[in-house]
Amino acid sequence: MIIRSIPFAKSLEEGIKILRGNWLQAIENHHFAYSGGKEIKDILDVGCAIGISTRHLADRFPSAQVTGLDLSPYFVAVAQYKDKKEAATGKQREKPIRWMHALGERTGLPSASFDLVSLAYVIHECPQYATRALLKEAFRLLRSGGTVALIDNSPKSKAIQDLPPPIFTLMKASEPWMDEYYSLNLEELMYEVGFTNVKSVLTNPRHRTTTGTVPFDS
C-alpha cells in the first residue's frame, strides 16, 4: 500500500516516512492553529489494529498518554505482544501505550478526556451510519479545542481516479463499504456532528487527512 501510495519513494522506509510524516504534520498544524494553545496530553487511536499508527503517534508526541483501541481482541493481543518485543530490546517509552478492546462507537471512556482522537484508515471499512457514530463518539471524548483526525483514501485523488477498471473492481470486491465511503461528504458530516474548522488536505497522492475541532463552547 505504501509503495503504491508513494510511487516516488526510493525505498519502503522513505515511503513510510513520507506517508506517516505528512499525516502527523497535518495533525500538528491543525491543532496548533485551532486548539487555543492546548497541549496534546491524551491521545486515542480508534481502530488501531496491531498498533502501527498508534506507535507513530506515541513517537511524535512522546509526553502524551496514548491509548490504542480496537474491536478485535486478536489485534489488541498482537499489539501487546509487539510492546513486549520492543521492551526486550531495551526500548522504553516515557509513557507506555495503553491497549483497549472496545467498540469505537461506544468506548465506555469518560467524556472530554482526550486532546486528539485519530482514525487512521478506518472509515473506508465502515457503512455511513457507523462513520457517523464514530464521529459522535470522538466528539464526546474530546476536550474543548481538541482535534479529530482521519486519514483515508481521497475520493478526489487522481491516483485513485486513474486506477485501471480491473484494479478498482478488485479493490471494491475486498472492501464492501467502498461505495458508501466514496459517496459520503465527510466534511459536511463532521460539521453536522458539531466539529468546526473542518479541513481536508491531500497528504500523499492517494490519501487525505481530514481534521476538525471541538468548539470551546461545547
Side-chain angles (χ1 to χ4, degrees), residues 2 9-10 27-29 39 41 46 55 66 72 74 78 82 92 96 104 111 116-117 128 143 160 167 171 194 197 210:
I2 291 172
K10 296 181 175 63
I27 292 173
E28 278 196 355
N29 290 347
E39 183 184 353
K41 296 180 179 178
V46 176
R55 289 183 173 84
V66 179
S72 167
Y74 306 105
V78 173
K82 288 171 73 69
Q92 297 291 329
S111 298
L116 170 63
V117 173
Q128 291 184 9
R143 300 177 179 118
I160 290 178
I167 299 298
M171 184 171 71
N197 306 312
T210 305

Side-chain angles (χ1 to χ4, degrees), residues 44-45 47-56 58 65-70 75-84 86 93 96-102:
L44 178 64
D45 189 28
C48 68
I50 63 172
I52 295 173
S53 57
T54 321
R55 289 183 173 84
H56 281 285
Q65 178 61 66
V66 179
T67 300
L69 179 148
D70 202 272
F75 279 155
V76 172
V78 173
Q80 292 170 328
Y81 173 72
K82 288 171 73 69
D83 265 5
K84 291 178 182 178
E86 261 191 11
R93 295 186 183 275
I97 298 170
R98 296 173 180 166
W99 303 103
M100 183 175 176
H101 171 227

Side-chain angles (χ1 to χ4, degrees), residues 150-195:
L150 306 93
I151 183 170
D152 221 308
N153 295 335
S154 173
K156 297 178 181 178
S157 162
K158 192 172 186 304
I160 290 178
Q161 291 174 354
D162 290 348
L163 283 173
I167 299 298
F168 194 75
T169 301
L170 181 63
M171 184 171 71
K172 287 177 64 176
S174 63
E175 303 285 1
W177 303 110
M178 193 66 80
D179 284 340
E180 288 207 26
Y181 172 73
Y182 281 121
S183 65
L184 173 67
N185 187 327
L186 178 59
E187 294 87 349
E188 183 178 281
L189 176 58
M190 289 171 67
Y191 277 117
E192 286 178 12
V193 169
F195 291 102

Side-chain angles (χ1 to χ4, degrees), residues 134-153:
L134 287 164
L135 287 169
K136 288 179 73 172
E137 180 70 349
F139 190 88
R140 183 187 72 82
L141 292 170
L142 284 163
R143 300 177 179 118
S144 296
T147 299
V148 65
L150 306 93
I151 183 170
D152 221 308
N153 295 335

